[in-house]
Amino acid sequence: MSLLITSRTAHIPWKNLLLVQIPIRNSSTASSQDLPTRNGILRQTSRNMSPKEKRAATSVKSYSTTPPKEKTAPAIPRPSSSVLLISPNNQVLLLQRVKQSSSFPSAHVFPGGNVSEFHDGRAPEPDHPERHNDSEVYRMAAIRETFEESGIVLARNNGFGRLIEVPQDQREEGRLLVHGSKVPFANWLAQKGGRADTEGLTPFTRWVTPTNVPKRFTTQMYLYFLPTLSSTPISEGTGNPDDSEAEVSIPSPTTDGGKEHTTARFLPASAWLRLAQEGRIILFPPQFFLLHHVAQFLDDLKSPSDYASVSRKEVPREELEARRKRLLEFAKSGDPSFVESCISPTTMPPPYGKKRADGRQVLALNRPGPELEGTDRRGPNEHCVLVDFKREGPRRLAVISRADALESNSKL
């Protein structure tokens, strides 16, 4: 019989290839020098090879009947929610995640997190089309996570429809109870005389994590406006009319004690964007993209990307309300609108296969993710995000038109 090595033989000199086709005597009479080594070459024969020939010979692998590994299926996206919480003077709340976080370490993010069946209800199954749609489950998760992570209660009084006010010590106790799943969030709110203000949330895009990321999410983003001055609505025909003039005390956001976040702060959307472009904070593409659009309406910029041009003058309440109205009108307009958009970022190569001159990647936002391919769900087609992914996180982000993003020599 003979031993024949058949794989990766192209780089082995023919005189040495023949050496692997050798008769093997009966095992009782064969010596160790006659038997093949692990790389298929006789020890005795290999002594006569040059170093170059030995290296070539060691690349030969024995034939194997083991089938190749199948490609691993992408992870199933976990249902989650997040809130762009707008302060009474139209600033946006961001939280900085701890360095040890398994998702977005050290980054600044909107309050939010995974749907909890215990608190929020059961999300549709992974193969159900409603899993990627706005629903009461996602809204409840958004309200609850905002409370757990910032201490701000987005709940209405059962009697008057005002935002409820909970003393700080009770809020901190409640955060621990809810975070530890000691009491359902809705029950805790009911004990305080309130109910989650899910009606106050406006969908503001959904994001599905790309398939190349091990931990994936299907995240429903929302806008929520805290009342400006005394503008909290009162239900008709209930309560004392004078209550409509009373100010609602909005507590300052606080961290969760370092469990998941280290800071919690309101700033203008344009200020967050400028800090990210200066490399002072980390924003991921979804946060940067949404803040960019919020800044166009709430910050009155001189040009779309001139984030430093925001005025520091106090804005009258009427103007604050007018800017909010324009932002909501934008969210509900377009094809698709931000209310309906579903975005799963994909890398878009520049024309002719060239890299951009500045080294940044172009993220297209029009695809909805594999779970929704073939449906009518999609994201905005007119904008892209430029990003330079570094070890510490995304850097040099910018929002740009799709046409300009394909210009490899763009100086943005």
Side-chain angles (χ1 to χ4, degrees):
M1 63 179 288
S2 65
L3 177 67
L4 178 63
I5 308 299
T6 60
S7 64
R8 295 193 182 180
T9 59
H11 301 293
I12 301 177
W14 281 106
K15 63 179 181 179
N16 293 330
L17 179 60
L18 295 176
L19 294 176
V20 301
Q21 302 185 42
I22 53 177
I24 299 179
R25 297 194 299 272
N26 186 287
S27 60
S28 61
T29 60
S31 68
S32 62
Q33 291 184 342
D34 294 326
L35 296 177
T37 62
R38 284 182 298 177
N39 59 26
I41 307 300
L42 289 179
R43 291 192 183 95
Q44 180 64 39
T45 308
S46 65
R47 293 173 184 168
N48 300 324
M49 292 183 182
S50 67
K52 183 176 181 180
E53 291 170 340
K54 287 181 180 180
R55 287 194 298 271
T58 56
S59 68
V60 180
K61 294 186 178 179
S62 301
Y63 175 76
S64 174
T65 58
T66 304
K69 291 184 179 180
E70 295 184 1
K71 189 176 181 180
T72 305
I76 297 173
R78 304 178 186 180
S80 64
S81 301
S82 194
V83 181
L84 282 76
L85 185 60
I86 311 301
S87 74
N89 59 345
N90 285 358
Q91 297 184 354
V92 185
L93 175 64
L94 288 187
L95 314 171
Q96 184 177 18
R97 295 187 67 84
V98 296
K99 292 182 179 180
Q100 299 79 15
S101 175
S102 60
S103 300
F104 311 115
S106 299
H108 280 72
V109 298
F110 308 124
N114 291 335
V115 168
S116 165
E117 185 174 351
F118 178 78
H119 293 291
D120 316 316
R122 187 177 181 84
E125 296 301 318
D127 57 349
H128 197 287
E130 293 296 318
R131 186 177 179 88
H132 305 282
N133 289 349
D134 169 39
S135 69
E136 192 71 12
V137 170
Y138 283 102
R139 291 179 177 236
M140 196 68 178
I143 301 291
R144 174 184 54 79
E145 285 286 344
T146 298
F147 171 60
E148 287 186 27
E149 296 186 341
S150 72
I152 296 177
V153 186
L154 305 181
R156 296 284 175 182
N157 183 291
N158 287 325
F160 303 109
R162 292 167 49 85
L163 286 178
I164 65 172
E165 299 180 53
V166 182
Q168 182 177 356
D169 59 338
Q170 295 183 32
R171 282 189 284 111
E172 294 306 312
E173 179 187 21
R175 292 172 75 178
L176 293 174
L177 291 173
V178 173
H179 181 77
S181 296
K182 303 298 183 182
V183 58
F185 180 51
N187 291 4
W188 183 84
L189 287 177
Q191 294 171 9
K192 306 304 175 185
R195 52 182 170 76
D197 186 20
T198 54
E199 297 89 353
L201 294 167
T202 299
F204 200 60
T205 69
R206 174 177 288 271
W207 294 74
V208 178
T209 311
T211 56
N212 63 327
V213 180
K215 186 180 291 187
R216 301 179 66 216
F217 301 92
T218 173
T219 304
Q220 181 63 59
M221 300 284 192
Y222 294 100
L223 283 172
Y224 189 97
F225 296 99
L226 291 169
T228 57
L229 303 177
S230 59
S231 62
T232 306
I234 303 297
S235 299
E236 293 184 7
T238 60
N240 186 339
D242 293 337
D243 287 340
S244 63
E245 299 302 322
E247 295 289 341
V248 174
S249 176
I250 306 298
S252 298
T254 58
T255 69
D256 58 1
K259 297 182 183 68
E260 297 181 19
H261 305 95
T262 58
T263 61
R265 186 182 182 188
F266 281 107
L267 279 179
S270 55
W272 289 122
L273 294 164
R274 178 171 51 81
L275 290 172
Q277 289 194 329
E278 293 173 354
R280 296 164 62 183
I281 66 170
I282 295 174
L283 289 179
F284 276 77
Q287 286 77 17
F288 192 94
F289 178 75
L290 295 180
L291 285 170
H292 170 84
H293 285 282
V294 168
Q296 308 309 307
F297 298 93
L298 299 188
D299 293 348
D300 193 28
L301 304 178
K302 293 180 180 179
S303 64
S305 296
D306 189 2
Y307 305 131
S309 66
V310 59
S311 174
R312 298 182 181 276
K313 295 181 180 179
E314 184 175 350
V315 180
R317 176 188 164 217
E318 292 75 14
E319 177 60 20
L320 292 173
E321 294 285 358
R323 293 180 182 183
R324 292 181 173 198
K325 182 179 179 180
R326 290 194 290 269
L327 175 56
L328 285 174
E329 290 173 348
F330 162 77
K332 298 174 183 179
S333 64
D335 183 23
S337 68
F338 269 40
V339 169
E340 300 170 338
S341 287
C342 185
I343 303 169
S344 185
T346 55
T347 302
M348 184 170 62
Y352 315 115
K354 297 178 181 178
K355 291 184 178 180
R356 283 183 55 88
D358 61 12
R360 287 182 288 184
Q361 294 185 35
V362 182
L363 298 184
L365 308 175
N366 58 314
R367 303 288 291 275
E371 290 79 11
L372 292 166
E373 291 289 355
T375 70
D376 59 354
R377 300 295 297 280
R378 57 190 175 88
N381 191 52
E382 62 273 16
H383 287 103
C384 296
V385 174
L386 302 183
V387 59
D388 183 10
F389 285 107
K390 297 292 187 182
R391 184 179 183 86
E392 70 274 13
R395 297 296 189 188
R396 297 195 295 146
L397 291 98
V399 176
I400 188 173
S401 72
R402 188 182 183 91
D404 289 342
L406 293 174
E407 292 292 335
S408 60
N409 292 322
S410 172
K411 296 181 180 180
L412 287 175

